[in-house]
Amino acid sequence: MKLKKHHKLVIAADGSAASGKTTGAKKYGLKFLSSGLLYRYASFQLLKHKPKNKINFLKNCFKNLNLKDLNNKNLHSPEISEHTSTIAKKQKIRLILKIFQKKFANKYNKVCIEGRDIGTVILPNADIKFFFKCSLGIAAKRRFKELKKTNKKIKLFEVKKAMRIRDNLDKKRKNSPLIQSKNAVIVPTDKLKNISGMIIKMSEIIEKKIKDKYGS
């Protein structure tokens, strides 16, 4: 079923690193935003410029952010991953990115934001909430394959270690931890046979939601 221009659909996609959130979210002509890339971009800028006042610096960064900047291949280095876990615990930094994400969601009728706290904090009233689950071993191989394209020297054990640290910190942090929203639909991406299987499962849920909301 095709969404019409006046239709509104808001989807929250949460889960650990490389669990399949981004792949599953890009459909139905939705405006897509990865909160993970926002935090990586913040880390990249902080490490690069080393500002004295990090909060004011980041406020300016996100006030003028072009989403194309999030495609920077340097955002996925082990150094960035480790630093991202650290800044993701800072409440003032989370607030800056929360404001950016909420403005993004309010700007468009058809939106999907993926991350760690989208269904619980950023979009608590989303039409659909997905929660992606995947074993660390499979998720690490996915991320390794992706990073290998731009970094031939990267090792699988480095990727797996960085992801383990990031996921543990995300789950245990005090501010907006990675938790499953009560009404979220679980998508076990390591148990589905392939990407098309995941897309089919999600599509069925989205199609039903559109039909219930706007009729056939």
Side-chain angles (χ1 to χ4, degrees):
M1 183 174 180
K2 192 174 182 180
L3 281 167
K4 295 181 180 178
K5 190 175 181 179
H6 66 281
H7 287 171
K8 185 176 178 67
L9 183 67
V10 178
I11 297 178
D14 289 303
S16 54
S19 58
K21 302 185 299 298
T22 303
T23 303
K26 292 180 176 178
K27 199 181 177 184
Y28 293 95
L30 306 179
K31 292 292 183 180
F32 176 76
L33 180 66
S34 166
S35 71
L37 285 182
L38 293 178
Y39 281 94
R40 287 178 176 277
Y41 179 76
S43 286
F44 175 77
Q45 292 295 335
L46 289 174
L47 290 171
K48 181 180 179 180
H49 297 284
K50 297 179 174 56
K52 290 183 179 179
N53 190 320
K54 295 179 182 179
I55 302 304
N56 284 341
F57 173 78
L58 287 179
K59 281 181 180 178
N60 288 326
C61 278
F62 284 93
K63 191 182 294 181
N64 305 304
L65 175 64
N66 184 329
L67 293 180
K68 291 180 180 178
D69 294 335
L70 300 180
N71 295 324
N72 189 327
K73 64 182 180 181
N74 296 316
L75 297 183
H76 287 284
S77 70
E79 181 187 19
I80 294 292
S81 295
E82 189 172 343
H83 189 258
T84 298
S85 297
T86 301
I87 68 165
K89 294 185 288 185
K90 309 294 183 182
Q91 190 169 10
K92 288 184 179 180
I93 291 178
R94 295 199 70 83
L95 181 59
I96 294 170
L97 273 68
K98 178 182 178 181
I99 291 171
F100 182 90
Q101 291 172 86
K102 282 189 171 290
K103 283 183 177 179
F104 180 89
N106 290 330
K107 189 176 179 181
Y108 304 104
N109 277 340
K110 305 167 186 64
V111 175
C112 177
I113 302 181
E114 65 94 350
R116 304 291 202 271
D117 64 345
I118 310 305
T120 54
V121 176
I122 306 300
L123 300 174
N125 298 314
D127 294 305
I128 303 171
K129 298 178 184 179
F130 289 115
F131 191 85
F132 293 77
K133 289 189 174 183
C134 184
S135 66
L136 177 62
I138 292 176
K141 287 179 181 177
R142 286 178 183 165
R143 180 56 55 82
F144 172 71
K145 186 177 179 181
E146 177 186 320
L147 297 179
K148 192 77 173 175
K149 295 174 184 176
T150 54
N151 183 358
K152 301 296 182 184
K153 295 181 179 180
I154 199 163
K155 305 294 183 185
L156 177 59
F157 78 89
E158 294 175 336
V159 176
K160 192 172 183 178
K161 180 183 177 182
M163 288 177 63
R164 183 188 294 111
I165 292 171
R166 176 81 196 275
D167 287 342
N168 284 337
L169 288 172
D170 285 344
K171 291 173 183 175
K172 294 176 182 178
R173 68 178 177 231
K174 183 179 179 181
N175 297 311
S176 302
L178 169 61
I179 55 175
Q180 180 185 327
S181 183
K182 289 181 180 179
N183 55 345
V185 177
I186 297 175
V187 184
T189 61
D190 54 352
K191 291 182 170 60
L192 295 171
K193 289 183 179 181
N194 48 42
I195 291 175
S196 61
M198 176 178 68
I199 298 297
I200 289 170
K201 177 181 174 65
M202 295 174 66
S203 295
E204 288 173 352
I205 295 163
I206 295 172
E207 293 283 341
K208 185 180 184 305
K209 184 65 181 182
I210 296 172
K211 189 174 181 180
D212 290 346
K213 199 172 181 182
Y214 298 108
S216 56

